[in-house]
Amino acid sequence: MTQPYDTIILGAGAAGLMCALTAGQRGRRVLLLDHADEPGKKILISGGGRCNFTNINTAPDRYLSANPHFAKSALGRYSAQDFIDLVDRHGIKWHEKTLGQLFCDGSAKQIVAMLLDECDAGNVAIGLGQPIRAIDHADGEYRVTYGDRTVTAPSLVVATGGPSIPKMGATGFAYDLARRFGLKIVEPRPALVPFTLGGEETLFRSLSGVAAEVVARCGKTAFREAALFTHKGLSGPAILQISSYWRHGESIGIDFLPDLKPNWLAEAKRTNPRTAFRKLLATHLPSRLAETLADRLGVEGDLGAQTDKRLDEAARRLADWRFTPNGTEGLAKAEVVAGGIATDGLSSQTMEARKVPGLYAIGEAVDVTGWLGGYNFQWAWASGWAAGQVI
């Protein structure tokens, strides 16, 4: 016997849970499936275990996609405030960190528990720990076999995310399934991921553990946040942010002193000519970083011993220090994946595939990637809500 439902949702992560609770509370018979043994695994590890569940500065321009307009509809109809209201109704205490990032005061477990409580309110059936064995589509029905059960529904929602953090069980399942139904895939690549350095840049590995506030640039995009030197290369929020915009072979620019004017060294020479260049640099940067940069610049002695031209050149390099990463730390360390199921095959209103009635794709599986700081969760909530309104 096959058991009928109104919708089957594949993936019990942020987007899948939101879609399930939204549809369930509309009176739909919902089955939520995941091969993992518990729901919301990525939610649980996010934000250092406190879940950076949204960002109050959410706007479509904080997202990357081949179609930058695609996310506008869902984000506009389910806002960060809508999710905050849900969190507040459940009595979950939260706080704002830098740049509009919201975190639980307690634990990410509270967010998962909230979502499960809301699923219970919608009588959502949840099946965990069983791999999907087969998916078929005929006569307007999707047939899914998992474990020793077969279920059917007129709609199927792909919410299995991308392949980032494979140790959590993440796979490219969503892409394989989408291709089967004729949907295109924008080439996936690691995003919000540390850079690795090679060649001349390897000397920066000696700075492992040193952090500084910088402006990181790639093309016309720039982020001002902390950068962290690692034994493999560069990480920290500024680097993770800019990595989403980087393509292999491109250079990255770092402004180590974003608050200083272009001629600050020449001015310092006139007011304090006997100050050593290294000593001055160390007043603005961590000492180990100042020493390494001074070595690379080759400026020795007091400021008064330098020409203005040489000091201006040193200031210019410090404001736009160029390096070319030899790669990233890959999917294992990427917080999300850029690319995914192409948006031109989906409705921005409902997330339904244009040419495959009843098939929906939401969350990270879709070619919409947010900035660091709660934006990807907000896309999960918004896209899951949009599909949950109509399935």
Side-chain angles (χ1 to χ4, degrees):
M1 288 285 291
T2 60
Q3 189 169 354
Y5 289 90
D6 293 320
T7 189
I8 300 165
I9 301 172
L10 306 179
L17 286 163
M18 176 57 85
C19 185
L21 70 88
T22 304
Q25 291 179 21
R26 290 176 50 241
R28 313 301 284 163
R29 292 171 300 165
V30 179
L31 175 63
L32 177 62
L33 298 177
D34 202 302
H35 69 277
D37 56 3
E38 61 178 319
K41 278 198 165 183
K42 278 191 178 180
I43 299 174
L44 292 173
I45 67 165
S46 68
R50 289 193 170 181
C51 188
N52 180 193
F53 56 82
T54 193
N55 195 298
I56 59 174
N57 298 319
T58 296
D61 64 0
R62 309 293 168 95
Y63 293 83
L64 292 79
S65 175
N67 176 2
H69 301 292
F70 181 82
K72 288 181 178 178
S73 176
L75 292 172
R77 289 180 296 135
Y78 191 88
S79 67
Q81 188 59 53
D82 289 321
F83 194 78
I84 293 167
D85 291 344
L86 179 61
V87 170
D88 287 344
R89 285 201 299 275
H90 282 257
I92 298 171
K93 302 300 181 185
W94 52 270
H95 58 278
E96 180 182 345
K97 285 194 175 180
T98 58
L99 304 174
Q101 302 171 40
L102 303 189
F103 290 78
C104 296
D105 286 359
S107 165
K109 293 177 182 178
Q110 295 172 283
I111 298 295
V112 175
M114 175 191 77
L115 296 169
L116 291 175
D117 285 348
E118 292 285 329
C119 283
D120 283 346
N123 297 310
V124 173
I126 300 178
L128 300 172
Q130 297 281 358
I132 302 297
R133 290 172 44 206
I135 297 175
D136 300 295
H137 183 224
D139 301 322
E141 290 281 310
Y142 292 89
R143 179 186 297 261
V144 177
T145 302
Y146 70 102
D148 57 0
R149 294 186 63 197
T150 299
V151 290
T152 62
S155 67
L156 180 70
V157 182
V158 183
T160 54
S164 62
I165 321 182
K167 69 180 180 181
M168 300 294 295
T171 69
F173 178 89
Y175 309 151
D176 297 337
L177 184 60
R179 289 188 185 100
R180 265 189 54 196
F181 285 102
L183 298 179
K184 296 176 183 175
I185 303 296
V186 175
E187 183 182 1
R189 66 184 196 280
L192 300 181
V193 63
F195 286 131
T196 56
L197 300 176
E200 289 185 7
E201 309 300 343
T202 55
L203 68 87
F204 282 108
R205 290 180 188 169
S206 66
L207 295 172
S208 181
V210 173
E213 184 174 332
V214 305
V215 172
R217 293 189 183 87
C218 183
K220 295 180 179 179
T221 305
F223 292 95
R224 178 171 178 162
E225 287 193 69
L228 171 69
F229 291 90
T230 73
H231 67 285
K232 291 184 178 179
L234 275 173
S235 187
I239 301 302
L240 298 182
Q241 292 279 39
I242 209 69
S243 72
S244 298
Y245 293 82
W246 177 78
R247 297 302 181 105
H248 201 81
E250 290 182 328
S251 69
I252 297 293
I254 300 289
D255 185 349
F256 284 110
L257 300 163
D259 291 324
L260 297 181
K261 296 183 292 186
N263 63 339
W264 71 277
L265 277 172
E267 285 189 356
K269 169 186 166 181
R270 281 185 275 282
T271 55
N272 296 291
R274 293 187 177 180
T275 299
F277 173 74
R278 286 172 183 267
K279 184 177 179 181
L280 178 63
L281 203 54
T283 64
H284 296 286
L285 293 168
S287 57
R288 286 167 58 198
L289 176 57
E291 284 289 327
T292 300
L293 292 174
D295 287 342
R296 292 294 294 270
L297 290 167
V299 179
E300 299 293 345
D302 294 346
L303 295 177
Q306 320 299 325
T307 65
D308 281 7
K309 182 178 180 181
R310 189 167 194 198
L311 291 175
D312 287 343
E313 172 62 16
R316 186 194 64 75
R317 285 200 63 194
L318 290 167
D320 189 27
W321 196 282
R322 286 279 149 185
F323 69 94
T324 303
N326 63 3
T328 72
E329 291 194 37
L331 291 174
K333 293 296 178 70
E335 296 202 11
V336 292
V337 171
I341 298 171
T343 59
D344 60 5
L346 303 174
S347 161
S348 63
Q349 292 280 323
T350 66
M351 313 304 294
E352 185 177 16
R354 297 185 184 282
K355 296 182 179 179
V356 191
L359 181 66
Y360 298 77
I362 58 177
E364 191 189 343
V366 179
D367 175 33
V368 175
T369 305
W371 287 3
L372 185 72
Y375 293 99
N376 287 295
F377 273 131
Q378 188 57 38
W379 169 246
W381 315 137
S383 60
W385 180 89
Q389 289 293 318
V390 295
I391 54 178

